[in-house]
Amino acid sequence: MATLFVRHKVADYARWRTAYNDFDTERKGMGVTSHGVYQLDGDPNDVTIYHEFTTVDAAKAFAGSPRLKEVMQAAGVQGVPDIWFANRD
């Protein structure tokens, strides 16, 4: 099991969350098997997300997807996100 973690700032959490939810069907079609969203205590526009995949290659393909970048931009993601990959032991 591989996990992609992403942390970024968003301009408006409610707007971002709507875009995130609307992307759910596409996200599943791109190999996401599980996901979760967290907001930083004290700053709801500082968001950390995890997405699980069957392989790291699938996670990397998702992270590099032009469609994902398009959705993130439209959702109001600010700056460059911190992205990292991990394997569950």
Side-chain angles (χ1 to χ4, degrees):
M1 179 73 57
T3 306
L4 161 66
F5 293 93
V6 179
R7 182 177 180 195
H8 51 62
K9 289 278 204 167
V10 298
D12 173 46
Y13 179 79
R15 177 178 144 211
W16 175 86
R17 187 61 194 221
T18 297
Y20 182 84
N21 290 346
D22 290 347
F23 189 53
D24 189 52
T25 300
E26 283 186 76
R27 193 171 38 247
K28 288 177 184 174
M30 297 169 81
V32 176
T33 60
S34 178
H35 61 96
V37 175
Y38 300 86
Q39 294 172 281
L40 185 65
D41 185 36
D43 186 355
N45 291 324
D46 188 325
V47 181
T48 299
I49 306 102
Y50 79 85
H51 294 99
E52 292 185 340
F53 298 83
T54 56
T55 66
V56 172
D57 287 341
K60 288 181 178 180
F62 177 81
S65 163
R67 176 66 178 140
L68 177 61
K69 290 179 173 103
E70 176 185 311
V71 170
M72 289 173 67
Q73 182 178 4
V77 171
Q78 299 178 320
V80 177
D82 291 323
I83 297 173
W84 66 100
F85 303 90
N87 285 304
R88 185 179 292 180
D89 186 18

